[in-house]
Amino acid sequence: MVNKPCRCDNKPCASTCPCFKAKVHCTDNCHGKAPWADVACLNTTTGLKVKGMKPAEVRKALCDAGLSPVGDKNELQKRLAVHFTSLSGGKGEEDVGGEGGSGEGGQKSGNNILDLMEAITSNEGDFAFILSLSGKIVKATSSKAELRKAYFLLSAKVHPDKNSNSALSKKAFQAVLESFERLANPEKFEEQEEEDDGKPAKKRKKTERFTRGNGGCYPTRVRCPRCKDTWNTKDLGLEDAAYNFLMQGVKQYLCGGCFLRFGCMTALHSCPHCKKPFEYDPDDYHRKITCGNSKCDRTFGFWMFTVSEKREKEIRREVKEENEKLAKTRAQQRRRGARADKRVGTLSNEERVKEQLFVLSLLDNCPRCGWLLERGLHKEDAREHLKNCNDEKLIKAYQESLKDKESKENSKKLAQESQEEMSAFKTWEYNGRQVGQLWMLSENILKIECKKYNLETDGPKHVLISKLGRVIRDRERKMITMGGEDHKSTHDITPIHKVDAEDLPANMESMETEELQCVAASYGLDFDHTSDVKVDLLKKLESARLKGTGLLMILDDQSDKKKGRKRKSNDDEDPDYKMVAEANDSD
């Protein structure tokens, strides 16, 4: 029994909430009897589950639901909790009613989750059935976007973090994750089953080519997201294979009508059968899928035009140069943003600046209510308007309209950034997944890759690259030297002194210190990010490139002991060092 209802309405209910302390959920009498959707409370069944999700998971779920992923952590969690509640028609908050919310509703909800987890584990291996338990019916031929939505809906219920890390929740969550991976990326598991003959996997070639047939495939209709015009390679004077590069997410192209630059993730796609739009993911390019519309269940694939090996090499060079420019642009934007944050200061300063611009006739609309300073009016009129601008309804309506406009702009910006990040990732894959080119990936993509290996995602970009590169190199070396691994080698771990010149950044002298740190981390070079300046990093990269990392560290055990030096951790990881050290030991 709760002695005092929760009154907090300015932040999600936490340790200070009386209801939370009593281990019961907030009721309709809490928060001044305001509707639960209008306050920041998360102390409900759905709210607590969302609160246990990581920020990246929350943003992904919001994007899949068509909601804005912009805002601080508390805003995003509340937005997603309200969305999940609306999906269940309010049933997700059955336990909110009653005294303390601890009645039969909460017990019933818990029992439902247990039944769901048991249903998942008992049907392990039936991948489409498991994902359909989310309430969203999917098939093996559903698009990756549809599969991802079902995965997020289901994982939000059975995630171990939301079920006290029970053994059943872990097993159920693993089954859900495997179902998504199996259906979304079936070709990876097919290659594994066909080529796993007990022998060490061969190193993947950088210029490996992929070919397939076009049975059941169509050159689907692609439209510009701004002007809705159909994108046609011939109208733009492009080769037919440009469709391949666009749909794989490797390149972005211009619209012939409005000159907007877009890629496959921001483009509008139509089903070749029912002509209705569907969500497309670059991983669907080599799959046969259905569009997901209720009245269309016909499968289709995406046409693959013939392209020469020479042209593929040219494209690899082009996209590498484009992504180098993109990486530099991102670094410049971060630096400019950091400087701007220092200049702008508080929100009140920004408002004062806008009001001053309005008085100087450099801003047409009043920054408070949106009143238009028409032609012929002077700064005295603007000053007089500001003096009397106190209509709360007008001010609130205008500020809301500004927020909506800003939200839409942020959504477009986020979509474009996601497209650029995916293009960089697909380019990295297209170039052979070289660990030495991890520096071209964005921080978001690096964090996603780190999660695949259960690595921490804290720290700056060069730290993420170091963690990821170290794990991948160890894994690939074990596969080559020991054998017995179940998975095919998928990464190129060639050291810096053996890679081709075209694989390195075009002009490292023009790169900033942060970018050089990322390049050095990609190739596993030692550096001190607190003391090494740009010149130091360039010298280390040049030395490693010309002489070879292993050759720089050739020291036998006796000389080490005499000089009182110890081998660095990288010595044990470098195969060239090991080979030379073993030769010295045998002598």
Side-chain angles (χ1 to χ4, degrees):
M1 185 74 180
V2 181
N3 297 327
K4 180 181 177 183
C6 170
R7 310 293 296 179
C8 56
D9 58 359
N10 60 345
K11 64 180 180 179
C13 299
S15 57
T16 57
C17 171
C19 299
F20 187 86
K21 286 183 177 180
K23 297 183 179 180
V24 295
H25 296 144
C26 290
T27 69
D28 293 337
N29 294 323
C30 295
H31 317 111
K33 297 185 179 181
W36 178 78
D38 296 340
V39 295
C41 171
L42 287 176
N43 188 30
T44 64
T45 301
T46 306
L48 292 176
K49 290 178 180 178
V50 171
K51 194 171 183 179
M53 297 174 65
K54 296 181 180 179
E57 294 175 334
V58 175
R59 288 192 179 91
K60 284 183 180 179
L62 287 171
C63 290
D64 287 335
L67 300 174
S68 173
V70 179
D72 60 29
K73 180 180 177 181
N74 296 335
E75 291 174 349
L76 298 178
Q77 289 176 337
K78 182 62 180 184
R79 193 176 301 155
L80 185 59
V82 172
H83 171 67
F84 283 160
T85 304
S86 64
L87 288 179
S88 59
K91 296 180 180 179
E93 304 304 330
E94 286 177 347
D95 57 333
V96 175
E99 193 170 1
S102 58
E104 295 180 359
Q107 185 177 359
K108 181 179 178 181
S109 176
N111 291 336
N112 289 341
I113 297 298
L114 287 175
D115 293 340
L116 175 63
M117 291 191 289
E118 289 176 357
I120 292 172
T121 55
S122 62
N123 289 278
E124 193 169 356
D126 193 348
F127 309 125
F129 178 81
I130 288 177
L131 289 185
S132 296
L133 291 176
S134 64
K136 183 176 182 61
I137 305 301
V138 299
K139 297 179 286 187
T141 55
S142 296
S143 67
K144 191 171 183 179
E146 296 292 319
L147 297 173
R148 188 184 292 111
K149 287 180 181 178
Y151 164 72
F152 280 127
L153 288 173
L154 198 55
S155 61
K157 299 176 182 177
V158 303
H159 198 284
D161 291 344
K162 305 174 188 62
N163 293 281
S164 304
N165 285 313
S166 66
L168 181 60
S169 66
K170 292 179 180 178
K171 188 176 181 181
F173 179 73
Q174 189 61 37
V176 172
L177 179 61
E178 182 186 10
S179 299
F180 173 72
E181 290 291 341
R182 286 275 185 173
L183 295 180
N185 305 294
E187 69 283 349
K188 295 182 180 179
F189 296 92
E190 290 172 1
E191 290 177 0
Q192 171 187 329
E193 293 169 359
E194 292 175 0
E195 301 186 16
D196 185 19
D197 54 0
K199 298 178 181 179
K202 296 180 180 179
K203 189 176 107 174
R204 180 177 178 177
K205 295 180 180 178
K206 181 181 65 174
T207 57
E208 180 180 8
R209 303 189 70 205
F210 182 86
T211 58
R212 59 168 169 82
N214 283 320
C217 297
Y218 302 84
T220 54
R221 184 186 181 196
V222 180
R223 292 183 297 149
C224 170
R226 179 193 288 169
C227 66
K228 309 298 188 295
D229 282 353
T230 301
W231 178 76
N232 191 305
T233 57
K234 294 181 180 179
D235 290 348
L236 298 174
L238 299 173
E239 58 190 328
D240 290 337
Y243 175 84
N244 300 10
F245 305 131
L246 174 79
M247 297 299 284
Q248 290 179 84
V250 174
K251 279 183 69 67
Q252 298 184 58
Y253 290 92
L254 294 175
C255 169
C258 64
F259 302 107
L260 174 69
R261 184 179 177 85
F262 65 91
C264 64
M265 293 183 65
T266 52
L268 305 178
H269 301 267
S270 300
C271 172
H273 300 305
C274 67
K275 311 303 180 186
K276 291 185 178 180
F278 68 95
E279 291 188 53
Y280 175 78
D281 189 280
D283 287 338
D284 290 334
Y285 182 64
H286 296 304
R287 299 178 60 221
K288 297 287 180 63
I289 67 170
T290 54
C291 64
N293 294 306
S294 57
K295 296 183 179 180
C296 179
D297 58 356
R298 298 175 63 183
T299 61
F300 61 93
F302 302 92
W303 195 269
M304 187 173 188
F305 290 93
T306 303
V307 57
S308 66
E309 185 174 359
K310 179 181 178 181
R311 180 56 182 156
E312 283 192 354
K313 290 182 178 179
E314 292 176 353
I315 288 294
R316 284 191 176 95
R317 282 197 297 269
E318 289 177 10
V319 295
K320 176 180 173 292
E321 292 173 0
E322 290 177 1
N323 279 279
E324 282 187 22
K325 293 178 182 178
L326 180 61
K328 291 182 179 180
T329 301
R330 286 202 201 102
Q332 292 171 355
Q333 289 174 345
R334 285 196 298 269
R335 290 193 296 272
R336 285 199 297 266
R339 291 195 296 267
D341 290 340
K342 294 179 180 179
R343 288 196 303 266
V344 172
T346 62
L347 182 63
S348 60
N349 288 337
E350 185 178 347
E351 291 175 346
R352 286 167 49 205
V353 169
K354 288 182 178 180
E355 291 181 3
Q356 185 62 52
L357 293 174
F358 178 64
V359 171
L360 296 174
S361 301
L362 297 176
L363 196 65
D364 294 333
N365 295 90
C366 171
R368 297 181 189 172
C369 68
W371 178 74
L372 178 64
L373 184 65
E374 297 178 353
R375 184 177 297 180
L377 298 179
H378 304 289
K379 61 181 181 180
E380 291 79 9
D381 301 300
R383 189 177 289 109
E384 183 66 22
H385 170 79
L386 285 176
K387 183 178 179 180
N388 300 313
C389 185
N390 52 16
D391 191 326
E392 293 183 1
K393 290 185 178 180
L394 284 177
I395 293 174
K396 184 177 180 180
Y398 181 65
Q399 296 302 324
E400 289 294 331
S401 67
L402 289 180
K403 288 181 180 179
D404 291 340
K405 184 178 179 181
E406 184 180 1
S407 177
K408 291 179 181 179
E409 291 177 353
N410 288 335
S411 298
K412 290 180 180 179
K413 184 179 179 181
L414 182 64
Q416 180 61 30
E417 289 177 353
S418 299
Q419 174 66 68
E420 292 174 349
E421 290 175 355
M422 181 55 67
S423 295
F425 178 72
K426 288 299 176 181
T427 300
W428 178 66
E429 285 191 324
Y430 193 68
N431 283 336
R433 302 172 72 93
Q434 298 180 50
V435 178
Q437 291 186 352
L438 284 172
W439 67 275
M440 288 195 295
L441 302 182
S442 67
E443 288 190 34
N444 289 335
I445 295 294
L446 288 170
K447 289 179 180 179
I448 293 173
E449 291 298 299
C450 284
K451 289 180 181 178
K452 293 180 181 179
Y453 295 95
N454 296 320
L455 299 174
E456 294 292 334
T457 57
D458 299 330
K461 185 176 178 180
H462 67 84
V463 173
L464 298 177
I465 293 174
S466 297
K467 294 178 183 177
L468 187 59
R470 189 181 305 115
V471 170
I472 293 176
R473 287 187 178 92
D474 289 344
R475 178 177 177 273
E476 297 296 327
R477 285 167 182 164
K478 287 178 182 178
M479 293 172 67
I480 295 173
T481 58
M482 297 174 61
E485 289 283 335
D486 294 332
H487 298 284
K488 180 183 177 183
S489 175
T490 55
H491 293 82
D492 183 352
I493 58 172
T494 306
I496 189 172
H497 60 286
K498 292 183 180 179
V499 297
D500 298 333
E502 63 183 21
D503 294 328
L504 295 170
N507 187 6
M508 285 192 285
E509 287 76 9
S510 65
M511 302 176 76
E512 297 295 332
T513 303
E514 294 81 2
E515 298 171 84
L516 291 172
Q517 289 176 349
C518 294
V519 175
S522 299
Y523 284 104
L525 303 183
D526 288 329
F527 65 91
D528 188 342
H529 72 279
T530 59
S531 60
D532 283 349
V533 295
K534 181 175 179 178
V535 176
D536 299 326
L537 293 169
L538 287 171
K539 287 181 179 179
K540 290 184 178 182
L541 287 166
E542 182 181 4
S543 179
R545 171 64 175 161
L546 295 178
K547 298 181 181 180
T549 308
L551 297 178
L552 289 174
M553 297 183 290
I554 296 179
L555 292 171
D556 57 58
D557 293 336
Q558 297 301 322
S559 62
D560 283 347
K561 293 177 181 178
K562 290 179 180 178
K563 297 179 181 179
R565 292 184 294 193
K566 295 183 179 180
R567 292 182 181 178
K568 297 181 180 179
S569 58
N570 281 10
D571 301 348
D572 294 330
E573 297 175 0
D574 192 278
D576 295 332
Y577 182 95
K578 284 185 175 181
M579 182 177 64
V580 176
E582 289 172 0
N584 291 338
D585 293 341
S586 63
D587 293 341

